Amino acid sequence: MPELEARWHQAVRVLGGANGPGDLVERYAEPHRGYHNADHVLAVARDADVLAEADGRTARERAVLTLAALAHDVIYDGKPGEDERRSAEWARARLAGLAEADAVAGLVLATADHTSADPLTCLLLDADLAVLGSDPAAYERYRAAVRAEYAHVPDDAWRVGRAEVLRSLARKDPLYVTPHARERWEQRARANLAAELSSLADPR
């Protein structure tokens, strides 16, 4: 069984359900996904689990977090806000009958603007940004994968848009909300953001 399905089934069982993952695997295998694919959501689920353990979360809270991590990009058409809304709806429908369905959908929806005052949601948001704190080689793979998703965008427009995104992230202080995430990723993430911004300013 693929890890996506295995993690889904395990989390649902913790919550006392038997809801299957439906088209989860097929969605993340869509050919237009360069970065927002199965590798990404599995990395988010793993990192979220590490953060949840460090934060002393219960098994049920960790199950909610896992399901939200797996569902947060299940709909991805390159339409910010709309993608997250539809992913949240997908999660709510897929988990119908579980008491935690709305909680999972709420976490997914929070990834639209990446802000929340809810501590559990903050674990997901930090895990979603963990890639920014990768080692240089992994960060370069991430950068190339994101660029591949926007291959239709001309280089000049890409540099302008990407730089705006990176500057917005760099202005966050701290970048990671939870203490364990800051300890693990903050310093390296800031170095990666600065390096990519510099490369965009001088693309030679």
Side-chain angles (χ1 to χ4, degrees), residues 53 112 123 162 167:
E53 183 174 6
L123 297 177
R162 180 65 174 168
R167 282 193 292 267

Side-chain angles (χ1 to χ4, degrees), residues 39-51:
D39 290 340
H40 165 62
V41 295
L42 283 171
V44 173
R46 295 176 194 130
D47 286 325
D49 203 41
V50 169
L51 295 179

Side-chain angles (χ1 to χ4, degrees), residues 76-154:
Y76 185 75
D77 293 323
K79 299 177 180 178
E82 177 69 9
D83 288 341
E84 290 85 358
R85 184 185 65 78
R86 293 179 61 205
S87 293
E89 290 175 352
W90 182 97
R92 186 178 286 108
R94 183 60 52 196
L95 298 170
L98 288 183
E100 291 83 356
D102 285 344
V104 173
L107 264 69
V108 171
L109 198 56
T111 63
D113 59 13
H114 251 262
T115 59
S116 178
D118 172 62
L120 187 64
T121 305
C122 288
L123 297 177
L124 174 63
L125 301 183
D126 279 355
D128 196 23
L129 295 181
V131 66
L132 300 178
S134 302
D135 64 74
Y139 186 88
E140 173 57 25
R141 290 193 295 273
Y142 151 73
R143 186 209 61 77
V146 172
R147 180 66 181 106
E149 285 189 344
Y150 289 88
H152 58 285
V153 177

Side-chain angles (χ1 to χ4, degrees), residues 1-112:
M1 179 185 296
E3 186 180 350
L4 272 175
E5 291 184 332
R7 283 182 174 269
W8 178 277
H9 284 299
Q10 181 180 3
V12 167
R13 282 197 297 270
V14 168
L15 299 178
N19 310 58
D23 58 350
L24 185 76
V25 173
E26 292 78 11
R27 289 276 187 180
Y28 284 116
E30 291 167 341
H32 67 279
R33 295 171 181 264
Y35 171 66
H36 294 89
N37 53 26
D39 290 340
H40 165 62
V41 295
L42 283 171
V44 173
R46 295 176 194 130
D47 286 325
D49 203 41
V50 169
L51 295 179
E53 183 174 6
D55 204 43
R57 293 291 166 169
T58 67
R60 295 184 76 86
E61 288 172 325
R62 291 170 69 170
V64 167
L65 197 56
T66 293
L67 292 170
L70 296 180
H72 83 279
D73 282 327
V74 70
I75 308 296
Y76 185 75
D77 293 323
K79 299 177 180 178
E82 177 69 9
D83 288 341
E84 290 85 358
R85 184 185 65 78
R86 293 179 61 205
S87 293
E89 290 175 352
W90 182 97
R92 186 178 286 108
R94 183 60 52 196
L95 298 170
L98 288 183
E100 291 83 356
D102 285 344
V104 173
L107 264 69
V108 171
L109 198 56
T111 63

